[in-house]
Amino acid sequence: MKKSNLITFFTPVSIVILLILGIIIFPNESIVAAKEGLNIWTTVLIPSLLPFVIGANLIVDLKIVDIIGFIINPITKFIFNVSGKSALVFAISTVSGYPVGSKLASELRNNNEISKFEAQRLVSFCSTSGPLFIIGAVATGMFQNSSLGYLMMVCHYLGSISVGILFRNYGKELLTSSKYPLRRNIKNVIDTKVSDGKGFFVLFGNAVFSGINTLLMVGGFVIVFSVVFKILSLFNIISLMSSILYIPLSLFGVTPKLCHALISGLFEMTIGCSKVASIISTPEVLRASLASFLIGFSGLSILAQCCNFLAKTDINTNLYILSKFLHGMLAGVFTFLLYPIFQSSSIVSNFSNIYNVFYNNPIWNYYIINYKTILPIFVIVYILAALIILEKTSYKNKKES
């Protein structure tokens, strides 16, 4: 038996056994960590992410992606060597955040709407955080500096675009141009949509069904990784890794405490950003750069969520993780280099207007205030959609048999 096969088999087994032992040895701490993960899921992720996930599903099912894709196809083909519909996934991800971009990219590939190589190029830059997290949670909530959020947001998307350009020639595949003019392509999309016979409410039910399933999966990962991080901390594994990382980073003036915060962020992005921001003895430019790296890399918790979608396709998850590491590195470097420039209040105010359009409008504020009422409606629609889908599936199976 090959040594590599033994390592591949026993490494995850050993990690799982270690975690189970940790939960048995530290039951109270594990329960507290699970509650913290559950609290993050219910109070932050569900109200902020669910509308975007449902909206993204509707955009795909209503063929809006296809129509806009044809319009912007020449630009995206030139810059990223991807089709217009693929680049629209990037636009949706920049508004909604992790893991929506990876989910939509995997759906395009599963539906065979894009090739394997195009899908790989797409996921290299379409998996991004949202401005609500970068500006609201990290900059305003953790750094107590909203202006810094606009710098981090710009550098985050610059890093993502840069990675997309780096992966432009991956697969050595050149996309062919459409045989038909734009008007003909849009007409074909509309005719196809009308002929499939699915009304808006059916698509809405399916979107809610898929969206809640996605949020349930995300919640599971958040809770599990909260417990994982706590167990590793109790076993002093996080401290050991921080001590090892401190040896090379000490040459750049990074303190042991900052190394510990960085290692924390490699496991869970939110925890790491919070710890990095709290070390006020370190210059803000260095803390902001490290936080930008963590947001770009996204951490093992979010990587696991994204890879869960990508693993159902033929997209290379190892290459995806490499692209996220590059994204984090570039975002951190851009933040460090542009930090002095973005002290200008005029630049910040321009981005503030854009932010207000998305998140400071009456519709969004109404949702946030009343999400406890709106959420049960989504759950009811979800249950009804699930029953309809099960009924259709059983009817189809009976018909085939």
Side-chain angles (χ1 to χ4, degrees):
M1 186 179 292
K2 292 182 178 180
K3 186 177 179 180
S4 59
N5 291 340
L6 289 173
I7 295 173
T8 303
F9 177 79
F10 282 107
T11 299
V13 171
S14 303
I15 294 172
V16 170
I17 291 173
L18 177 66
L19 293 175
I20 292 174
L21 286 175
I23 293 172
I24 295 172
I25 297 171
F26 306 105
N28 293 331
E29 291 85 349
S30 300
I31 291 173
V32 171
K35 287 181 178 179
E36 290 175 354
L38 182 63
N39 183 58
I40 292 172
W41 181 58
T42 54
T43 60
V44 178
L45 294 179
I46 289 180
S48 63
L49 195 58
L50 183 60
F52 288 115
V53 175
I54 294 174
N57 290 334
L58 278 173
I59 286 174
V60 174
D61 292 340
L62 291 170
K63 302 298 181 181
I64 299 173
V65 168
D66 298 71
I67 293 174
I68 299 178
F70 283 124
I71 297 172
I72 65 175
N73 186 65
I75 301 172
T76 59
K77 181 183 173 184
F78 174 75
I79 299 174
F80 301 113
N81 194 25
V82 298
S83 60
K85 71 170 70 175
S86 295
L88 194 61
V89 172
F90 171 70
I92 296 172
S93 179
T94 57
V95 177
S96 55
Y98 298 116
V100 175
S102 298
K103 179 180 183 295
L104 293 178
S106 63
E107 287 179 357
L108 289 177
R109 179 58 190 147
N110 276 328
N111 297 333
N112 208 29
E113 295 183 45
I114 57 176
S115 68
K116 174 185 175 180
F117 293 124
E118 183 180 353
Q120 194 72 61
R121 293 194 296 273
L122 176 60
V123 297
S124 71
F125 72 96
C126 80
S127 182
T128 65
S129 180
L132 191 65
F133 175 77
I134 298 173
I135 300 172
V138 177
T140 305
M142 300 175 188
F143 281 88
Q144 304 296 314
N145 184 356
S146 60
S147 300
L148 183 64
Y150 301 103
L151 165 65
M152 296 174 69
M153 180 184 69
V154 169
C155 293
H156 181 74
Y157 297 136
L158 274 178
S160 179
I161 292 169
S162 300
V163 174
I165 294 172
L166 288 174
F167 274 76
R168 186 185 186 281
N169 295 320
Y170 176 79
K172 297 180 180 179
E173 177 188 44
L174 291 176
L175 298 180
T176 57
S177 301
S178 176
K179 302 177 183 177
Y180 307 107
L182 177 61
R183 183 177 295 182
R184 175 74 178 275
N185 286 325
I186 294 176
K187 182 180 181 298
N188 290 339
V189 170
I190 295 173
D191 291 341
T192 303
K193 173 65 189 70
V194 173
S195 63
D196 67 8
K198 292 182 180 179
F200 173 78
F201 291 104
V202 173
L203 296 177
F204 179 70
N206 293 340
V208 173
F209 179 82
S210 175
I212 293 182
N213 278 342
T214 300
L215 262 294
L216 288 173
M217 184 273 297
V218 169
F221 276 108
V222 170
I223 294 169
V224 167
F225 271 89
S226 295
V227 176
V228 168
F229 178 75
K230 189 65 177 178
I231 296 298
L232 292 178
S233 298
L234 292 171
F235 278 131
N236 291 322
I237 294 176
I238 300 295
S239 299
L240 176 62
M241 295 173 67
S242 302
S243 301
I244 296 172
L245 185 65
Y246 172 68
I247 296 172
L249 292 185
S250 61
L251 300 173
F252 302 96
V254 178
T255 63
K257 196 173 182 181
L258 202 59
C259 285
H260 188 275
L262 181 60
I263 292 294
S264 303
L266 294 180
F267 284 89
E268 216 296 314
M269 176 181 69
T270 307
I271 295 174
C273 288
S274 178
K275 288 181 177 292
V276 167
S278 66
I279 307 173
I280 56 176
S281 58
T282 303
E284 187 180 64
V285 60
L286 184 56
R287 289 183 289 136
S289 300
L290 288 176
S292 288
F293 166 76
L294 293 176
I295 296 170
F297 179 66
S298 73
L300 294 179
S301 176
I302 292 175
L303 285 175
Q305 297 170 30
C306 296
C307 288
N308 177 66
F309 296 117
L310 302 181
K312 298 172 184 176
T313 68
D314 52 5
I315 298 173
N316 189 328
T317 53
N318 292 330
L319 198 56
Y320 166 72
I321 294 172
L322 173 62
S323 69
K324 291 307 298 172
F325 179 76
L326 290 174
H327 182 189
M329 291 293 293
L330 290 170
V333 170
F334 286 145
T335 302
F336 187 83
L337 295 176
L338 298 178
Y339 182 83
I341 301 173
F342 266 74
Q343 301 305 308
S344 170
S345 59
S346 60
I347 296 176
V348 170
S349 63
N350 289 336
F351 284 107
S352 180
N353 293 333
I354 298 172
Y355 178 82
N356 289 334
V357 169
F358 283 103
Y359 301 110
N360 242 354
N361 60 75
I363 297 175
W364 176 256
N365 291 332
Y366 177 83
Y367 169 74
I368 291 297
I369 294 170
N370 300 286
Y371 87 91
K372 290 183 179 179
T373 305
I374 297 172
L375 192 59
I377 298 174
F378 281 132
V379 173
I380 293 171
V381 176
Y382 168 79
I383 294 172
L384 292 175
L387 293 173
I388 293 171
I389 291 171
L390 288 173
E391 185 179 351
K392 287 185 176 180
T393 304
S394 60
Y395 176 76
K396 188 183 290 185
N397 291 336
K398 287 180 183 179
K399 194 174 181 180
E400 289 175 354
S401 60

